[in-house]
Amino acid sequence: MAKGFDWSEDSPTQLKLGDTTTKLGFQLTLDGNNFDLTNVTGITVKVGDSSHKEVGELAVDLTKIETPEAGQFQLLFTGDVVKKLTTGEYDLEAWIIDANGTSIFPSDGFLQLSINPSIGSD
């Protein structure tokens, strides 16, 4: 079973350092079809550095998923995770919890997020 984790249509794929208001959109697929989120009990997006060491994680508010059958969700990068980010590339994984256990998306590799400098940033 091929698990896909990608940007949803029209989602930015990069943020400026310190931006906590831009929503990022994600798409989950299983064998090329939308992964239904209806029975999911938890979604966590883990953020890793270039060495694949975890920088932090962000929980998705399941009540804000409007069409779970589409396999899409949105997320703001806020809190402690944002404070740890510097400019550069980060790896993302989606950890999905349901009655079957924990599924990690994508099956292979990572989704890449770019953090760009902002004025006054290092």
Side-chain angles (χ1 to χ4, degrees):
M1 296 190 318
K3 294 179 271 188
F5 181 43
D6 209 343
W7 302 106
S8 61
E9 190 174 322
D10 300 327
S11 175
T13 60
Q14 54 191 350
L15 295 172
K16 282 206 166 198
L17 189 63
D19 183 348
T20 60
T21 62
T22 300
K23 284 185 183 178
L24 301 177
F26 301 99
Q27 174 72 55
L28 297 174
T29 57
L30 183 62
D31 293 328
N33 299 307
N34 294 342
F35 181 77
D36 191 344
L37 300 171
T38 302
N39 296 315
V40 167
T41 58
I43 301 174
T44 301
V45 173
K46 295 198 177 197
V47 181
D49 63 18
S50 60
S51 300
H52 312 302
K53 292 181 183 173
E54 187 175 325
V55 175
E57 58 184 50
L58 297 158
V60 175
D61 184 347
L62 300 177
T63 65
K64 298 203 184 225
I65 298 175
E66 296 176 7
T67 52
E69 63 277 3
Q72 296 182 354
F73 63 91
Q74 293 185 325
L75 186 62
L76 287 171
F77 270 61
T78 59
D80 291 338
V81 173
V82 171
K83 294 174 186 172
K84 296 177 185 177
L85 300 179
T86 59
T87 58
E89 300 292 322
Y90 290 88
D91 297 327
L92 304 179
E93 286 181 334
W95 289 50
I96 310 301
I97 301 168
D98 62 18
N100 297 316
T102 301
S103 298
I104 302 172
F105 289 70
S107 299
D108 185 37
F110 306 95
L111 184 61
Q112 295 284 301
L113 172 67
S114 296
I115 302 296
N116 297 323
S118 55
I119 293 176
S121 66
D122 301 9

